[in-house]
Amino acid sequence: MRIVWCITGAGHLLRESFQIMRELKEEKDVKITTLISKAGEEVIKMYGLFGELNYISGGGYYEEIVLEREHPYSSPITGRLSLGKYDYLISSPTTGNTVAKVVRGIADTLITNAIAQAGKGFVRSLIVPVDYEAGVVITKLPYSIDKKKCICCLKCVEACPNGAIILRGKFPEIVLSKCLGCGECKRACPNGAIIEGKEIKMRVRKVDAENTKRLMELEDVVVLKHPKEILEYLL
């Protein structure tokens, strides 16, 4: 089975999506080509998952990594989709911005163009939107600093290889757009102030939930609530 897997700039359900990708590769011998938006590339790095991509999609033809910063609007991969050379396109996790563009027929990014070409090539798309229904969802941050535990020793600043930790007033702060998710700051902190996976509440806006409903009306698009449903659908 050949799959194009699209990753956009959402942290919610990102780890769960990678888990399904690994399972498909390891247990089902699925070939996965991964398409990554500019924001998706940043978020993958924040969560320390970029290294896994070479394992998942580093095998050559039909197992490629395609970055939007290198292919801003299109890629030969999208042409393969319009020709029906893949069995499925999967987009997980999918931001509200991507969903909003797709339901309005806008294909001005690598990911939205890929979804559009999949539809034209009769390739079924399985899409997991992070804004599935209006309400509140619990998501996990990559890294953060607990100011109650921080003793301002600045060892985390010294340990960060990418200059992603800066002083904001008295306390250090992680600039997530620079974070590589390597965990060096956590290992250097003597007081356990660096937290990985802190849970926070996020609101799903009504407008985004309504766009998800519109997504369900598109031809050859299946909308799923959680990445684990991908396995149930495919198998």
Side-chain angles (χ1 to χ4, degrees), residues 1-114:
M1 186 185 297
R2 297 171 182 165
I3 288 175
V4 167
W5 195 297
C6 302
I7 298 177
T8 62
H12 184 53
L13 299 179
L14 182 63
R15 292 191 185 279
E16 293 87 342
S17 297
F18 266 76
Q19 182 178 344
I20 299 303
M21 294 169 79
R22 288 193 299 271
E23 189 167 341
L24 285 172
K25 177 182 177 66
E26 293 172 350
E27 299 183 17
K28 309 303 175 185
D29 196 29
V30 174
K31 292 184 181 296
I32 300 174
T33 296
T34 306
L35 273 57
I36 308 169
S37 73
K38 292 178 183 178
E41 184 177 352
E42 293 178 357
V43 174
I44 289 170
K45 289 177 180 177
M46 290 177 201
Y47 282 80
L49 294 169
F50 205 85
E52 292 199 37
L53 286 175
N54 286 325
Y55 170 69
I56 292 170
S57 294
Y61 200 58
Y62 287 113
E63 291 183 289
E64 298 134 285
I65 299 169
V66 182
L67 304 176
E68 186 173 40
R69 63 180 168 86
E70 297 174 347
H71 302 271
Y73 303 106
S74 189
S75 162
I77 304 298
T78 59
R80 291 185 213 163
L81 282 163
S82 61
L83 293 173
K85 292 188 177 182
Y86 286 93
D87 298 293
Y88 291 96
L89 178 144
I90 297 173
S91 182
S92 176
T94 313
T95 61
N97 180 58
T98 298
V99 171
K101 287 188 173 187
V102 169
V103 298
R104 287 163 178 79
I106 299 172
D108 63 349
T109 66
L110 176 65
I111 304 301
T112 55
N113 188 35

